[in-house]
Amino acid sequence: MTYPPKSSAPPPGPNLPTLPAVPAQPAPPAPAPTGTGTGTGSSPTPPPTPRRRTAFAEGFDQLRAAATTEPGRLRIIGALLALLVIAFGSVTAWQMTARATAADDVLTSSQPLSSDAADIYRSLADANTAASSGFLAGGQETAATRDRYEKDIRTAAEKLVNAAANADPDSPSTATIAKLNRLLPEYKGLVERARTYNRQGFPVGGAYLRYANEKMQQQMLPAAEDLYKKENQRLRADYADATPYPWAAIALGVAALAALAWAQHRTYQRTNRVLNHGLVAATATATVVLLWLVVGHSVARAGLNDSYDHGVRSLNVLHDARIASLKARGNENLTLVARGAETKKVGDETYDAYDYDFGTDIKALGRHLAAAGKLADDTSGEQPVTAAVGNMKEWQKRHTAAREQDENGNYQQALDRVIGPRGATGECFDSVDKNLHTALVHEETEFKRAAGDGRDALTGLAAGAAVLAVLGAAGAVLGIGRRLSEYR
């Protein structure tokens, strides 16, 4: 058997098909490294996920797209106008409610409480004066003096109850009121002991009365004065809340009117229509609210300022004058009760302590009366102050005469010149107190009139502003809606 050589051609036969040439294939891509490694077994990194847009961004894009068309712009303008008018009415209602509340507090709360605090001081000081006067009379104490003392004690107790009922639990006045309620029965007990021993002729009665006076002068009257000052601070705070101009509401009102005017001018430029009924109605309501706000608050501010300048200031000075007169009378009586037992050294001179304090109180009374005369703005207010000045001068003359008798050893003559039925200093004190009371009643009436006018000027402003703002916003929306209907 023969084999063909390896280099020879294939044997003849049928033609076989020729396969096409296969092009060279590229090598597979190398796998991406995982992490920081270079291994070949890591999987490829997935494509980053697109960040989801916020609702605010989408809303802004929609708003921007809407602003490219006239209907969209009109809708935006209408919404902004309505929002601005509503904001104007809301801020006006809020600020006017706060000011009306403060004005009402001035008239019905803080000023009456300030007067009650002054009455507490006056009642306590007058009770102390009546107690010393009764002690000087000894067994001949008159029923009028005793009744005056009891009436003052009852008045002080009633005013303290009223002050406690109207004071806030966390108010600084609450602790002062509690202190006075605790000290009042202690003082009354000391006075009763002094009277008992005095009627029996025991000298220890004078010691008890001086101790009662010390409790009154060093603890009770300073506490009452502190209460008076705190209530005056509360009154000034209410004035500070009621009188400032509502600048935020005024600024929003001006902005609302400017925006409405611009919207109407824009409508006129695009349609040649002079008036848009809805926008005109919105402008009218905003104008009414703004004028009502400015005029009403200006009238209220003027009334409240007048009540302070011609009411509260006069009342404060008159209360101070009355307190000074009561202190002077109490020290005058105690000068005779102590009989030189209490002294005070001023520089190189030694004085009777109570007589020295009397001189200080009389000088204070003169200053307060001079200030009250300057603040009096009519004859009814000036006349009792002038009369009180005359009473004070006569009081000084009689006191000087009484002191001369006491220093010369004529105790009974000095006593008659202080608490006697005729020509005594007690008559001058009573006249001063009566005239000051008349002036206080007059100034109280002036205060109530002016403060009432100021409060009444704010009546209905907050509610009216809110209602008109809603109507104005509705008018703006309807006016813009009328323009939108032209595009349908």
Side-chain angles (χ1 to χ4, degrees), residues 187-212:
Y187 169 81
K188 190 175 181 180
L190 290 172
V191 171
E192 292 305 321
R193 287 188 180 184
R195 280 178 172 161
T196 300
Y197 287 123
N198 186 46
R199 287 172 181 170
Q200 295 175 357
F202 295 150
V204 71
Y208 271 105
L209 186 65
R210 289 195 299 274
Y211 183 40

Side-chain angles (χ1 to χ4, degrees), residues 46 56 74 84 136 147 160 176 188 229 402 447 460-461 488:
F56 176 78
L74 287 174
L84 191 56
L136 288 173
D147 291 342
L160 284 171
T176 305
K188 190 175 181 180
K229 290 179 179 178
F447 162 79
L461 179 52
R488 296 170 187 169

Side-chain angles (χ1 to χ4, degrees), residues 407-418:
E407 290 173 356
N408 291 332
N410 300 323
Y411 180 79
Q412 187 60 45
Q413 287 82 352
L415 188 64
D416 292 339
R417 290 178 181 273
V418 173

Side-chain angles (χ1 to χ4, degrees), residues 308-325:
Y308 186 84
D309 293 335
H310 302 289
V312 173
R313 291 178 62 192
S314 295
L315 287 171
N316 289 341
V317 171
L318 290 170
H319 281 309
D320 291 340
R322 205 174 190 189
I323 288 170
S325 70

